[in-house]
Amino acid sequence: MAGSTMVLIPGAAHAAIYENAPFANRAILDWAKTLK
């Protein structure tokens, strides 16, 4: 998808937010900071 960014979350499969919550949360917050 144009303008998208893929983030690979280490140690996570289908439930990334549970399997590596700190990394997933950081990725979500970093993305949210790019919104205007």
Side-chain angles (χ1 to χ4, degrees):
M1 190 176 283
S4 64
T5 301
M6 180 169 61
V7 176
L8 299 177
I9 300 176
H14 297 287
I17 197 71
Y18 298 110
E19 296 166 340
N20 191 345
F23 195 96
N25 287 336
R26 175 55 42 206
I28 293 166
L29 290 172
D30 289 346
W31 166 77
K33 290 177 185 175
T34 67
L35 304 176
K36 295 181 183 183

